[in-house]
Amino acid sequence: MNVLKRWLGSVPIRGKLMLFSSLTSGMALLLAGIVLTVADYHSGRRALIQRLQTQAEITARNSSAAVAFDDAQAATHTLEALSADRAIVSAEILRMDGTLLARHGRDMDETARQFPSIGEAHTEPDGLIHVNTDVQLDGRIGRLNLWATSAELKVKLIEHSAILAGVILGALGLALLAMARLQRIVSAPLVRLAKTTQRYRARATTACAWNPLTPMKSGS
Amino acid sequence: MRRAGILAALTGLAGAVGFSPAGFADEAATRREDQLKAAYLFNFVKFVEWPASVPTDVLTVCFVGGEGVHDALASGIDSKRVGPRRLAVRQVQESASATDCNVLYLDAAVVPEGRVSSQDRLPILTVSDAKGFARSGGMIEVFTDSNRLRFRINIDNAQQAGLRISSSLLQLAASIEKAGPK
Protein backbone atom coordinates (compact mmCIF):
# COMPACT_ATOMS: atom_id res chain seq x y z
CA MET A 1 0.00 0.00 0.00
CA ASN A 2 2.82 2.33 0.92
CA VAL A 3 4.60 1.43 -2.27
CA LEU A 4 1.48 2.34 -4.21
CA LYS A 5 1.14 5.63 -2.33
CA ARG A 6 4.76 6.42 -2.95
CA TRP A 7 4.39 5.58 -6.60
CA LEU A 8 1.25 7.70 -6.86
CA GLY A 9 3.07 10.54 -5.19
CA SER A 10 5.76 10.38 -7.80
CA VAL A 11 3.27 10.45 -10.68
CA PRO A 12 2.74 13.94 -12.07
CA ILE A 13 -0.70 15.57 -11.80
CA ARG A 14 -1.43 14.95 -15.45
CA GLY A 15 -0.71 11.26 -15.02
CA LYS A 16 -2.81 11.06 -11.86
CA LEU A 17 -5.78 12.67 -13.54
CA MET A 18 -5.56 10.29 -16.49
CA LEU A 19 -5.12 7.28 -14.24
CA PHE A 20 -8.09 8.06 -12.00
CA SER A 21 -10.33 8.91 -14.95
CA SER A 22 -9.36 5.67 -16.67
CA LEU A 23 -9.97 3.67 -13.52
CA THR A 24 -13.43 5.09 -12.87
CA SER A 25 -14.47 4.82 -16.53
CA GLY A 26 -13.09 1.29 -16.75
CA MET A 27 -14.91 0.20 -13.61
CA ALA A 28 -18.19 1.68 -14.86
CA LEU A 29 -17.76 -0.02 -18.23
CA LEU A 30 -16.84 -3.35 -16.63
CA LEU A 31 -19.81 -3.24 -14.27
CA ALA A 32 -22.21 -2.37 -17.09
CA GLY A 33 -20.68 -5.10 -19.24
CA ILE A 34 -21.02 -7.75 -16.50
CA VAL A 35 -24.64 -6.79 -15.84
CA LEU A 36 -25.43 -6.90 -19.56
CA THR A 37 -23.66 -10.27 -20.02
CA VAL A 38 -25.48 -11.86 -17.07
CA ALA A 39 -28.81 -10.46 -18.29
CA ASP A 40 -28.04 -11.69 -21.80
CA TYR A 41 -27.17 -15.19 -20.50
CA HIS A 42 -30.43 -15.44 -18.57
CA SER A 43 -32.39 -14.09 -21.50
CA GLY A 44 -30.70 -16.67 -23.76
CA ARG A 45 -31.53 -19.45 -21.29
CA ARG A 46 -35.16 -18.39 -21.15
CA ALA A 47 -35.28 -18.30 -24.96
CA LEU A 48 -33.69 -21.77 -25.14
CA ILE A 49 -36.22 -23.19 -22.67
CA GLN A 50 -39.08 -21.58 -24.57
CA ARG A 51 -37.74 -23.01 -27.82
CA LEU A 52 -37.47 -26.47 -26.26
CA GLN A 53 -40.98 -26.27 -24.87
CA THR A 54 -42.30 -25.28 -28.29
CA GLN A 55 -40.44 -28.17 -29.90
CA ALA A 56 -41.82 -30.50 -27.24
CA GLU A 57 -45.39 -29.29 -27.82
CA ILE A 58 -45.13 -29.67 -31.60
CA THR A 59 -43.57 -33.13 -31.33
CA ALA A 60 -46.17 -34.23 -28.78
CA ARG A 61 -48.97 -33.18 -31.10
CA ASN A 62 -47.36 -34.89 -34.06
CA SER A 63 -46.86 -38.10 -32.13
CA SER A 64 -50.33 -38.39 -30.64
CA ALA A 65 -51.45 -40.86 -33.32
CA ALA A 66 -48.32 -42.95 -32.89
CA VAL A 67 -48.88 -43.08 -29.13
CA ALA A 68 -52.58 -43.86 -29.53
CA PHE A 69 -51.78 -46.79 -31.81
CA ASP A 70 -48.66 -47.75 -29.82
CA ASP A 71 -46.59 -47.43 -32.99
CA ALA A 72 -43.00 -47.26 -31.76
CA GLN A 73 -41.59 -46.96 -35.26
CA ALA A 74 -43.73 -43.95 -36.15
CA ALA A 75 -43.02 -42.37 -32.75
CA THR A 76 -39.27 -42.80 -33.23
CA HIS A 77 -39.58 -41.32 -36.71
CA THR A 78 -41.33 -38.27 -35.24
CA LEU A 79 -38.62 -37.88 -32.61
CA GLU A 80 -35.89 -38.10 -35.24
CA ALA A 81 -37.08 -34.77 -36.64
CA LEU A 82 -35.75 -33.18 -33.45
CA SER A 83 -32.18 -33.92 -34.53
CA ALA A 84 -32.47 -30.73 -36.62
CA ASP A 85 -32.03 -28.86 -33.34
CA ARG A 86 -28.43 -29.41 -32.27
CA ALA A 87 -29.13 -28.49 -28.68
CA ILE A 88 -31.38 -31.53 -28.15
CA VAL A 89 -29.38 -34.51 -26.93
CA SER A 90 -32.22 -36.84 -26.05
CA ALA A 91 -35.95 -37.18 -26.59
CA GLU A 92 -38.30 -39.89 -25.52
CA ILE A 93 -41.98 -40.72 -25.50
CA LEU A 94 -43.46 -42.60 -22.59
CA ARG A 95 -46.74 -44.44 -22.62
CA MET A 96 -49.48 -43.61 -20.14
CA ASP A 97 -48.13 -46.25 -17.74
CA GLY A 98 -44.65 -44.72 -17.87
CA THR A 99 -43.05 -47.38 -20.06
CA LEU A 100 -40.86 -46.29 -22.94
CA LEU A 101 -42.45 -46.19 -26.40
CA ALA A 102 -39.72 -44.45 -28.38
CA ARG A 103 -36.39 -42.76 -27.87
CA HIS A 104 -34.00 -40.72 -29.95
CA GLY A 105 -30.52 -39.79 -28.79
CA ARG A 106 -28.90 -40.45 -25.45
CA ASP A 107 -30.35 -42.97 -23.01
CA MET A 108 -31.32 -41.02 -19.88
CA ASP A 109 -31.58 -42.76 -16.54
CA GLU A 110 -34.70 -43.00 -14.42
CA THR A 111 -33.71 -40.17 -12.05
CA ALA A 112 -33.47 -37.77 -15.00
CA ARG A 113 -37.20 -38.30 -15.61
CA GLN A 114 -38.23 -37.28 -12.09
CA PHE A 115 -38.40 -33.56 -12.81
CA PRO A 116 -39.76 -31.14 -13.82
CA SER A 117 -43.50 -30.78 -13.63
CA ILE A 118 -45.30 -30.19 -16.92
CA GLY A 119 -44.55 -26.86 -18.59
CA GLU A 120 -41.49 -26.14 -16.46
CA ALA A 121 -37.80 -26.63 -17.09
CA HIS A 122 -35.27 -28.31 -14.88
CA THR A 123 -31.50 -28.23 -15.03
CA GLU A 124 -29.91 -31.63 -14.47
CA PRO A 125 -26.72 -32.00 -12.42
CA ASP A 126 -24.78 -32.50 -15.66
CA GLY A 127 -26.05 -29.16 -16.96
CA LEU A 128 -28.67 -30.54 -19.32
CA ILE A 129 -31.98 -28.71 -19.52
CA HIS A 130 -35.02 -30.98 -19.23
CA VAL A 131 -38.49 -30.04 -20.40
CA ASN A 132 -41.54 -32.23 -20.84
CA THR A 133 -45.10 -32.14 -22.00
CA ASP A 134 -48.11 -34.42 -22.14
CA VAL A 135 -49.12 -36.21 -25.31
CA GLN A 136 -52.83 -35.54 -25.55
CA LEU A 137 -55.65 -37.12 -27.47
CA ASP A 138 -58.95 -36.47 -25.72
CA GLY A 139 -56.93 -36.48 -22.51
CA ARG A 140 -53.42 -37.46 -21.58
CA ILE A 141 -52.17 -40.58 -23.37
CA GLY A 142 -48.43 -40.26 -22.83
CA ARG A 143 -45.54 -37.99 -22.01
CA LEU A 144 -42.72 -36.51 -24.02
CA ASN A 145 -39.36 -35.69 -22.43
CA LEU A 146 -36.67 -33.54 -24.01
CA TRP A 147 -33.13 -32.96 -22.80
CA ALA A 148 -30.93 -30.27 -24.29
CA THR A 149 -27.43 -29.06 -23.72
CA SER A 150 -26.81 -25.45 -22.78
CA ALA A 151 -23.49 -25.44 -24.69
CA GLU A 152 -24.76 -22.81 -27.11
CA LEU A 153 -25.32 -20.47 -24.15
CA LYS A 154 -21.74 -21.01 -22.97
CA VAL A 155 -20.40 -20.34 -26.46
CA LYS A 156 -22.48 -17.16 -26.60
CA LEU A 157 -21.24 -16.18 -23.15
CA ILE A 158 -17.62 -16.58 -24.24
CA GLU A 159 -18.28 -14.64 -27.45
CA HIS A 160 -20.01 -11.85 -25.56
CA SER A 161 -17.23 -11.70 -22.97
CA ALA A 162 -14.62 -11.44 -25.72
CA ILE A 163 -16.59 -8.71 -27.47
CA LEU A 164 -17.09 -6.95 -24.14
CA ALA A 165 -13.35 -7.09 -23.34
CA GLY A 166 -12.60 -5.68 -26.79
CA VAL A 167 -15.17 -2.91 -26.38
CA ILE A 168 -13.86 -2.00 -22.90
CA LEU A 169 -10.24 -1.94 -24.06
CA GLY A 170 -11.13 0.07 -27.17
CA ALA A 171 -13.27 2.49 -25.18
CA LEU A 172 -10.52 2.94 -22.60
CA GLY A 173 -7.95 3.52 -25.33
CA LEU A 174 -10.14 6.17 -26.92
CA ALA A 175 -10.88 7.66 -23.52
CA LEU A 176 -7.14 7.86 -22.76
CA LEU A 177 -6.48 9.61 -26.04
CA ALA A 178 -9.28 12.04 -25.39
CA MET A 179 -8.12 12.57 -21.84
CA ALA A 180 -4.54 13.21 -22.93
CA ARG A 181 -5.85 16.09 -24.99
CA LEU A 182 -8.51 17.34 -22.65
CA GLN A 183 -6.61 17.05 -19.39
CA ARG A 184 -4.60 20.15 -20.32
CA ILE A 185 -7.68 22.24 -19.72
CA VAL A 186 -7.64 21.10 -16.09
CA SER A 187 -4.01 20.37 -15.45
CA ALA A 188 -2.34 23.28 -17.36
CA PRO A 189 -3.51 26.01 -14.90
CA LEU A 190 -2.49 23.75 -12.05
CA VAL A 191 0.92 23.18 -13.60
CA ARG A 192 1.27 26.91 -14.15
CA LEU A 193 0.24 27.54 -10.56
CA ALA A 194 2.75 24.96 -9.36
CA LYS A 195 5.48 26.56 -11.42
CA THR A 196 4.61 30.02 -10.13
CA THR A 197 4.62 28.69 -6.58
CA GLN A 198 8.02 27.11 -7.18
CA ARG A 199 9.37 30.36 -8.53
CA TYR A 200 7.92 32.29 -5.60
CA ARG A 201 9.47 29.84 -3.17
CA ALA A 202 12.79 30.16 -4.90
CA ARG A 203 12.60 33.94 -4.58
CA ALA A 204 11.48 33.76 -1.00
CA THR A 205 14.40 31.51 -0.21
CA THR A 206 16.71 34.02 -1.82
CA ALA A 207 15.11 36.86 0.17
CA CYS A 208 15.43 34.95 3.41
CA ALA A 209 19.12 34.39 2.66
CA TRP A 210 19.67 38.26 2.62
CA ASN A 211 21.63 39.52 5.65
CA PRO A 212 21.00 43.16 6.62
CA LEU A 213 24.50 43.40 7.94
CA THR A 214 25.83 42.63 4.58
CA PRO A 215 25.99 45.85 2.55
CA MET A 216 23.72 45.84 -0.47
CA LYS A 217 25.32 45.90 -3.75
CA SER A 218 24.37 48.81 -5.85
CA GLY A 219 21.83 48.01 -8.61
CA SER A 220 20.52 44.80 -6.89
CA MET B 1 -51.49 -80.84 -1.83
CA ARG B 2 -54.85 -79.17 -1.47
CA ARG B 3 -53.98 -76.71 -4.27
CA ALA B 4 -53.06 -79.60 -6.58
CA GLY B 5 -56.43 -81.16 -5.83
CA ILE B 6 -58.27 -77.95 -6.72
CA LEU B 7 -56.27 -77.66 -9.94
CA ALA B 8 -57.09 -81.25 -10.88
CA ALA B 9 -60.76 -80.61 -10.15
CA LEU B 10 -60.74 -77.45 -12.31
CA THR B 11 -58.98 -79.26 -15.14
CA GLY B 12 -61.53 -82.05 -14.93
CA LEU B 13 -64.38 -79.53 -14.95
CA ALA B 14 -62.93 -77.77 -17.95
CA GLY B 15 -62.59 -81.09 -19.75
CA ALA B 16 -66.14 -82.01 -18.85
CA VAL B 17 -67.52 -78.84 -20.44
CA GLY B 18 -65.34 -79.22 -23.50
CA PHE B 19 -62.56 -76.73 -22.70
CA SER B 20 -58.88 -77.51 -22.92
CA PRO B 21 -55.88 -75.33 -21.89
CA ALA B 22 -55.26 -74.71 -25.60
CA GLY B 23 -58.87 -73.64 -25.93
CA PHE B 24 -58.44 -71.17 -23.06
CA ALA B 25 -55.34 -69.77 -24.71
CA ASP B 26 -57.13 -69.37 -28.04
CA GLU B 27 -60.04 -67.68 -26.35
CA ALA B 28 -57.73 -65.31 -24.51
CA ALA B 29 -55.89 -64.50 -27.73
CA THR B 30 -59.17 -63.83 -29.54
CA ARG B 31 -60.38 -61.63 -26.69
CA ARG B 32 -57.08 -59.79 -26.73
CA GLU B 33 -57.36 -59.25 -30.49
CA ASP B 34 -60.94 -58.01 -30.14
CA GLN B 35 -59.87 -55.57 -27.44
CA LEU B 36 -57.07 -54.34 -29.66
CA LYS B 37 -59.43 -53.89 -32.60
CA ALA B 38 -61.86 -52.02 -30.37
CA ALA B 39 -59.02 -49.77 -29.20
CA TYR B 40 -58.02 -49.15 -32.81
CA LEU B 41 -61.62 -48.41 -33.75
CA PHE B 42 -61.89 -45.96 -30.86
CA ASN B 43 -58.67 -44.28 -31.96
CA PHE B 44 -59.65 -44.16 -35.64
CA VAL B 45 -62.66 -41.98 -34.93
CA LYS B 46 -60.45 -39.46 -33.15
CA PHE B 47 -58.60 -38.81 -36.38
CA VAL B 48 -61.62 -38.50 -38.65
CA GLU B 49 -63.70 -35.41 -39.29
CA TRP B 50 -67.31 -35.77 -40.29
CA PRO B 51 -69.13 -33.18 -42.40
CA ALA B 52 -70.70 -30.30 -40.48
CA SER B 53 -74.16 -31.65 -41.29
CA VAL B 54 -73.60 -34.69 -39.05
CA PRO B 55 -74.92 -34.25 -35.47
CA THR B 56 -72.08 -33.68 -33.06
CA ASP B 57 -73.53 -34.86 -29.76
CA VAL B 58 -73.29 -38.64 -30.23
CA LEU B 59 -70.98 -40.74 -32.34
CA THR B 60 -72.64 -44.04 -33.16
CA VAL B 61 -70.54 -47.06 -34.00
CA CYS B 62 -72.54 -49.86 -35.59
CA PHE B 63 -71.41 -53.45 -35.84
CA VAL B 64 -72.30 -56.05 -38.39
CA GLY B 65 -70.99 -59.13 -36.61
CA GLY B 66 -67.85 -58.67 -34.55
CA GLU B 67 -69.57 -59.23 -31.19
CA GLY B 68 -66.19 -59.44 -29.43
CA VAL B 69 -65.10 -56.05 -30.74
CA HIS B 70 -68.54 -54.63 -29.97
CA ASP B 71 -68.39 -55.89 -26.37
CA ALA B 72 -64.85 -54.59 -25.90
CA LEU B 73 -65.82 -51.14 -27.17
CA ALA B 74 -69.07 -51.14 -25.20
CA SER B 75 -67.15 -51.87 -22.00
CA GLY B 76 -66.95 -48.65 -19.97
CA ILE B 77 -68.54 -46.70 -22.81
CA ASP B 78 -69.79 -43.99 -20.45
CA SER B 79 -66.25 -42.79 -19.93
CA LYS B 80 -65.39 -42.91 -23.64
CA ARG B 81 -65.72 -39.65 -25.50
CA VAL B 82 -64.50 -38.41 -28.85
CA GLY B 83 -63.91 -34.73 -28.30
CA PRO B 84 -67.26 -33.38 -27.18
CA ARG B 85 -69.15 -36.39 -28.58
CA ARG B 86 -70.54 -39.24 -26.55
CA LEU B 87 -69.88 -42.69 -27.92
CA ALA B 88 -72.70 -45.16 -28.62
CA VAL B 89 -72.45 -48.68 -29.99
CA ARG B 90 -75.05 -51.00 -31.43
CA GLN B 91 -75.36 -54.18 -33.44
CA VAL B 92 -77.14 -54.05 -36.79
CA GLN B 93 -78.19 -56.74 -39.21
CA GLU B 94 -76.32 -57.07 -42.46
CA SER B 95 -79.44 -56.24 -44.40
CA ALA B 96 -80.43 -53.34 -42.16
CA SER B 97 -79.86 -49.72 -43.05
CA ALA B 98 -76.95 -48.00 -41.38
CA THR B 99 -77.92 -44.45 -42.21
CA ASP B 100 -77.93 -43.33 -38.58
CA CYS B 101 -74.46 -44.76 -37.95
CA ASN B 102 -71.28 -42.71 -38.04
CA VAL B 103 -68.99 -45.71 -38.09
CA LEU B 104 -69.76 -49.15 -39.48
CA TYR B 105 -67.62 -52.10 -38.44
CA LEU B 106 -68.02 -55.13 -40.67
CA ASP B 107 -66.68 -58.39 -39.37
CA ALA B 108 -64.73 -60.52 -41.84
CA ALA B 109 -66.99 -63.45 -41.04
CA VAL B 110 -69.99 -61.46 -42.25
CA VAL B 111 -68.38 -59.94 -45.33
CA PRO B 112 -65.71 -62.53 -46.17
CA GLU B 113 -65.16 -61.26 -49.66
CA GLY B 114 -64.64 -57.77 -48.31
CA ARG B 115 -66.92 -56.13 -50.82
CA VAL B 116 -69.30 -53.54 -49.38
CA SER B 117 -71.83 -51.30 -50.94
CA SER B 118 -70.80 -47.68 -50.98
CA GLN B 119 -73.73 -46.91 -48.63
CA ASP B 120 -74.69 -44.32 -51.25
CA ARG B 121 -71.58 -42.46 -50.13
CA LEU B 122 -73.09 -41.53 -46.81
CA PRO B 123 -70.67 -39.98 -44.31
CA ILE B 124 -70.09 -43.33 -42.61
CA LEU B 125 -66.61 -44.50 -41.77
CA THR B 126 -66.40 -48.14 -42.77
CA VAL B 127 -63.91 -50.38 -41.00
CA SER B 128 -63.38 -54.11 -41.41
CA ASP B 129 -60.89 -56.89 -40.89
CA ALA B 130 -61.98 -58.50 -44.16
CA LYS B 131 -59.19 -59.06 -46.64
CA GLY B 132 -59.18 -56.61 -49.55
CA PHE B 133 -61.75 -54.38 -47.82
CA ALA B 134 -59.92 -51.11 -48.63
CA ARG B 135 -59.88 -52.04 -52.30
CA SER B 136 -63.51 -53.06 -52.39
CA GLY B 137 -65.27 -49.88 -51.37
CA GLY B 138 -64.24 -49.81 -47.71
CA MET B 139 -62.24 -47.10 -45.99
CA ILE B 140 -60.12 -48.74 -43.31
CA GLU B 141 -58.97 -52.32 -43.46
CA VAL B 142 -57.48 -53.81 -40.32
CA PHE B 143 -55.14 -56.76 -40.63
CA THR B 144 -52.52 -58.64 -38.65
CA ASP B 145 -48.91 -58.44 -39.73
CA SER B 146 -46.14 -60.14 -37.71
CA ASN B 147 -48.36 -60.38 -34.64
CA ARG B 148 -49.14 -56.72 -34.93
CA LEU B 149 -52.39 -55.07 -35.84
CA ARG B 150 -52.01 -52.77 -38.80
CA PHE B 151 -54.34 -50.99 -41.16
CA ARG B 152 -54.61 -49.64 -44.66
CA ILE B 153 -56.75 -46.70 -45.67
CA ASN B 154 -58.60 -45.92 -48.86
CA ILE B 155 -58.53 -42.17 -48.82
CA ASP B 156 -60.62 -41.72 -51.98
CA ASN B 157 -63.51 -43.69 -50.53
CA ALA B 158 -63.36 -41.57 -47.39
CA GLN B 159 -63.22 -38.31 -49.32
CA GLN B 160 -66.12 -39.32 -51.53
CA ALA B 161 -68.17 -39.88 -48.39
CA GLY B 162 -67.23 -36.42 -47.13
CA LEU B 163 -64.91 -37.68 -44.41
CA ARG B 164 -61.55 -36.11 -43.71
CA ILE B 165 -58.91 -38.42 -42.33
CA SER B 166 -56.09 -36.77 -40.39
CA SER B 167 -52.61 -36.90 -41.87
CA SER B 168 -51.41 -38.26 -38.50
CA LEU B 169 -53.51 -41.37 -39.07
CA LEU B 170 -52.46 -41.63 -42.71
CA GLN B 171 -48.82 -41.62 -41.61
CA LEU B 172 -49.43 -44.71 -39.52
CA ALA B 173 -51.22 -46.65 -42.23
CA ALA B 174 -49.42 -49.61 -43.74
CA SER B 175 -50.59 -48.39 -47.13
CA ILE B 176 -52.89 -45.77 -48.57
CA GLU B 177 -55.16 -46.77 -51.38
CA LYS B 178 -56.25 -44.00 -53.68
CA ALA B 179 -58.32 -45.72 -56.30
CA GLY B 180 -62.02 -46.38 -55.81
CA PRO B 181 -63.58 -49.86 -55.98
CA LYS B 182 -63.01 -51.59 -59.28
Side-chain angles (χ1 to χ4, degrees):
Chain A
M1 197 69 186
N2 284 335
V3 178
L4 191 68
K5 271 184 181 171
R6 224 176 295 138
W7 177 77
L8 271 174
S10 67
V11 174
I13 292 172
R14 182 184 166 187
K16 274 179 197 162
L17 281 170
M18 284 178 67
L19 182 71
F20 291 138
S21 300
S22 306
L23 266 175
T24 47
S25 311
M27 275 167 67
L29 274 172
L30 193 67
L31 190 68
I34 289 169
V35 169
L36 281 175
T37 307
V38 170
D40 197 48
Y41 179 81
H42 283 287
S43 160
R45 193 175 185 278
R46 272 198 303 275
L48 176 64
I49 289 168
Q50 201 168 3
R51 190 178 88 207
L52 292 173
Q53 275 168 343
T54 307
Q55 305 261 35
E57 289 280 339
I58 293 168
T59 311
R61 284 183 192 198
N62 286 341
S63 58
S64 62
V67 179
F69 288 95
D70 203 47
D71 192 331
Q73 200 182 347
T76 308
H77 189 66
T78 308
L79 290 181
E80 278 167 2
L82 289 168
S83 60
D85 190 332
R86 287 184 182 182
I88 296 169
V89 294
S90 181
E92 64 179 25
I93 295 174
L94 305 177
R95 294 184 184 90
M96 187 71 170
D97 60 1
T99 56
L100 185 77
L101 174 67
R103 174 186 292 130
H104 178 69
R106 200 189 295 178
D107 183 5
M108 305 303 291
D109 60 14
E110 193 55 45
T111 51
R113 296 193 188 111
Q114 304 288 324
F115 303 99
S117 51
I118 296 297
E120 289 177 3
H122 177 253
T123 307
E124 304 290 342
D126 54 1
L128 293 179
I129 297 170
H130 177 201
V131 297
N132 61 14
T133 189
D134 281 341
V135 181
Q136 306 247 6
L137 186 67
D138 285 340
R140 181 180 168 240
I141 57 168
R143 177 171 284 195
L144 184 133
N145 287 314
L146 275 190
W147 286 271
T149 171
S150 56
E152 66 182 71
L153 294 179
K154 285 168 192 159
V155 169
K156 259 188 193 172
L157 186 70
I158 292 166
E159 277 176 7
H160 282 201
S161 302
I163 291 169
L164 180 71
V167 167
I168 288 176
L169 285 174
L172 277 177
L174 280 173
L176 277 171
L177 276 175
M179 272 188 285
R181 300 242 175 224
L182 294 173
Q183 57 80 34
R184 285 174 196 157
I185 297 168
V186 179
S187 63
L190 290 172
V191 170
R192 271 203 304 275
L193 181 67
K195 279 179 181 170
T196 309
T197 310
Q198 268 179 340
R199 270 202 305 273
Y200 178 77
R201 268 191 192 160
R203 273 187 198 171
T205 312
T206 314
C208 286
W210 175 72
N211 187 345
L213 295 173
T214 307
M216 281 179 74
K217 288 178 184 175
S218 58
S220 63
Chain B
M1 193 68 183
R2 193 178 167 186
R3 192 178 291 174
I6 292 169
L7 193 64
L10 280 174
T11 311
L13 186 67
V17 293
F19 289 122
S20 65
F24 275 127
D26 284 350
E27 198 184 326
T30 307
R31 198 183 305 128
R32 170 80 188 133
E33 194 179 325
D34 285 344
Q35 284 171 346
L36 212 54
K37 282 177 183 171
Y40 268 51
L41 199 55
F42 183 50
N43 282 328
F44 286 148
V45 297
K46 293 177 181 175
F47 293 95
V48 175
E49 267 183 54
W50 275 263
S53 56
V54 174
T56 56
D57 52 340
V58 184
L59 193 129
T60 309
V61 184
C62 299
F63 289 84
V64 177
E67 285 79 10
V69 185
H70 169 273
D71 293 346
L73 191 63
S75 161
I77 196 157
D78 292 336
S79 62
K80 289 175 183 167
R81 296 189 83 85
V82 181
R85 304 170 89 173
R86 200 160 47 77
L87 200 68
V89 292
R90 66 186 177 92
Q91 285 279 358
V92 292
Q93 295 299 312
E94 195 184 347
S95 54
S97 168
T99 48
D100 55 345
C101 299
N102 301 113
V103 183
L104 184 64
Y105 180 84
L106 299 146
D107 190 66
V110 182
V111 279
E113 72 282 5
R115 184 163 289 278
V116 288
S117 70
S118 61
Q119 294 290 335
D120 299 325
R121 291 291 171 229
L122 289 170
I124 300 170
L125 180 74
T126 52
V127 184
S128 177
D129 55 351
K131 199 175 177 186
F133 181 73
R135 289 180 183 172
S136 313
M139 294 172 196
I140 302 179
E141 178 187 330
V142 182
F143 64 97
T144 309
D145 177 32
S146 310
N147 287 325
R148 214 181 121 68
L149 207 59
R150 304 201 69 190
F151 56 92
R152 54 176 64 97
I153 297 173
N154 191 315
I155 192 147
D156 279 352
N157 289 345
Q159 279 173 350
Q160 281 165 23
L163 302 178
R164 282 182 60 189
I165 298 178
S166 161
S167 60
S168 302
L169 187 63
L170 295 175
Q171 278 175 358
L172 300 183
S175 64
I176 298 167
E177 310 289 334
K178 288 205 168 176
K182 290 167 188 171

